[in-house]
Amino acid sequence: MRTYAKPVAAVTGALALAATLTACGGSSSAADEKTVTVYSADGLKGEKGDGWYDKVFADFEKQTGIKVKYVEGGSGEMVQRALREKSNTQADVIVTLPPFIQQAGSKGLLQKYVPKGADQVDGADKAADGTWTSVVNNYFGFVHNKKELPQPPGTWEALLDGRFKNRLQYSTPGVAGDGTAVLIKAMHDFGGQAPALEYLKKLQANNVGPSSSTSKLAPKTDKGELLVANGDVQMNFAQAKSMPNLGIWFPAKAGGRPTTFALPYAAGLVDKAPHTENGKKLLDFMLAENAQREVSAIGGGFPARKDVKPTDANAVALAKIIEGVEVFEPDWADIDENLTAYVDAWKTATGS
């Protein structure tokens, strides 16, 4: 992948928390007023400092003087962290995959703010009440090791074969956005919750076990520790630049077509954010035309704005990846309402 400006302090875990403690409750030092804290699902920051976030955050700091403090984890993990801090808010902006951005809204973690350019985002990719807007479009998918498994399995049923025992892993539903997507896609492809759980119960015999972060599975697949794992097109396409053995594919039910669904990175302004105005500026910046044009070329994703139509080599390759794949739209309202029940049923079925 291309190398750009030195990434802005991308600290995680305890370091990031320590860095943000001074920003609590809206009272902060003068120096801290020039910061904005982002809680985000993984995938948009490059492991070598060459991701879309790296470029956008560096450009944002150069243009505004506002430093981005970055905290990364699974989508569900980020929402739960923000929820725990609700009485002492640390984050200004939260970026997660569905259905966790809807969950953040329903739990009162977001305040209404419609970024500039949001009028060019499709209605399905933003909240009707103005609490969140997609900044990078994306699709759910799987990866396989092209060296040891030149042709992907093709179907869900093929993954039950003994050769995948302890060579297959998917991230945890309810914790990771892409892990939750496994459950959503299985329910769609198999025609309901019961048959999907019956299948996933069988698949558990080959599954390595839980993973809170989907991005950790791609390196294992590239090295051959895993033959197959879940992921998403944007993240895995970006990772494939430095992981040559990664191949992207979409499972189908036996006799059916391969399917996927949109899984955008959706951003919202956190309620009672310590630096609300800085959060607004960052959301505007991420949705501006310049940043959106770089989504495919740098981030390996799809622009959220429909008036931005990139023609770079990555954009062409990405279009080819999803060519011929059926794209369905999940019932996000139902998933938001029943997510806990669905995840609990998955835990029971798989013994997780």
Side-chain angles (χ1 to χ4, degrees):
M1 225 180 216
R2 293 145 296 279
T3 301
Y4 291 86
K6 186 177 179 181
V8 179
V11 292
T12 57
L15 289 176
L17 180 59
T20 57
L21 284 175
T22 57
C24 59
S27 58
S28 53
S29 67
D32 205 48
E33 289 300 329
K34 299 297 287 183
T35 64
V36 59
T37 298
V38 178
Y39 283 10
S40 179
D42 48 10
L44 292 176
K45 191 177 188 307
E47 293 185 10
K48 297 182 178 179
D50 54 5
W52 186 69
Y53 270 163
D54 300 292
K55 179 65 162 59
V56 169
F57 292 169
D59 289 348
F60 178 72
E61 180 176 8
K62 183 177 180 180
Q63 182 173 311
T64 66
I66 299 169
K67 186 174 183 179
V68 179
K69 296 181 178 181
Y70 180 70
V71 181
E72 178 181 282
S75 287
E77 180 186 358
M78 291 296 92
V79 172
Q80 288 302 312
R81 179 166 177 168
L83 192 61
R84 289 195 302 269
E85 298 169 351
K86 197 172 181 181
S87 61
N88 186 22
T89 309
Q90 306 295 318
D92 300 299
V93 171
I94 190 165
V95 185
T96 70
L97 306 181
F100 296 100
I101 193 67
Q102 290 91 340
Q103 186 182 80
S106 65
K107 292 183 179 298
L109 293 176
L110 305 176
Q111 59 174 299
K112 181 178 179 179
Y113 179 67
V114 179
K116 296 172 184 175
D119 59 318
Q120 294 295 332
V121 176
D122 282 335
D125 296 329
K126 59 187 177 185
D129 64 359
T131 52
W132 58 265
T133 306
S134 297
V135 291
V136 172
N137 276 346
N138 192 17
Y139 295 92
F140 176 64
F142 274 65
V143 290
H144 67 106
N145 180 292
K146 294 191 295 185
K147 185 177 180 181
E148 294 191 40
L149 195 68
Q151 292 297 319
T155 66
W156 287 105
E157 289 83 355
L159 294 176
L160 299 176
D161 189 274
R163 65 176 170 161
F164 294 109
K165 186 172 180 61
N166 295 324
R167 304 289 299 279
L168 175 154
Q169 190 173 16
Y170 63 91
S171 51
T172 308
V175 176
D178 289 323
T180 305
V182 172
L183 183 56
I184 293 170
K185 177 172 156 60
M187 288 170 61
H188 171 271
D189 290 358
F190 286 95
Q193 180 182 350
L197 293 178
E198 182 181 351
Y199 167 79
L200 292 172
K201 180 179 180 179
K202 295 176 183 176
L203 186 65
Q204 196 65 13
N206 288 343
N207 187 19
V208 171
S211 174
S212 63
S213 175
T214 314
S215 66
K216 296 176 182 178
L217 303 183
K220 293 181 180 180
T221 305
D222 179 63
K223 293 173 185 176
E225 295 175 27
L226 299 173
L227 291 177
V228 171
N230 70 314
D232 61 68
V233 174
Q234 176 278 324
M235 178 175 65
N236 296 142
F237 185 85
Q239 290 172 316
K241 298 297 181 182
S242 59
M243 301 178 193
N245 295 322
L246 282 189
I248 299 172
W249 67 290
F250 307 89
K253 187 176 184 299
R257 291 176 59 190
T259 68
T260 187
F261 61 95
L263 204 60
Y265 291 89
L269 186 65
V270 177
D271 187 44
K272 299 181 177 64
H275 309 101
T276 293
E277 292 307 311
N278 294 349
K280 290 178 179 179
K281 289 176 183 177
L282 181 60
L283 288 170
D284 288 347
F285 197 88
M286 288 194 290
L287 207 56
E289 286 188 46
N290 286 342
Q292 287 291 299
R293 287 194 201 101
E294 295 174 329
V295 166
S296 57
I298 296 175
F302 304 80
R305 290 180 59 148
K306 56 191 176 184
D307 62 336
V308 176
K309 302 183 185 298
T311 57
D312 58 88
N314 282 356
V316 173
L318 287 161
K320 187 174 182 180
I321 286 173
I322 62 170
E323 185 178 347
V325 180
E326 178 188 329
V327 180
F328 66 91
E329 185 174 333
D331 185 344
W332 291 117
D334 170 75
I335 293 166
D336 180 37
E337 182 179 350
N338 298 298
L339 179 61
T340 300
Y342 291 148
V343 172
D344 287 345
W346 170 82
K347 290 178 180 176
T348 300
T350 59
S352 298

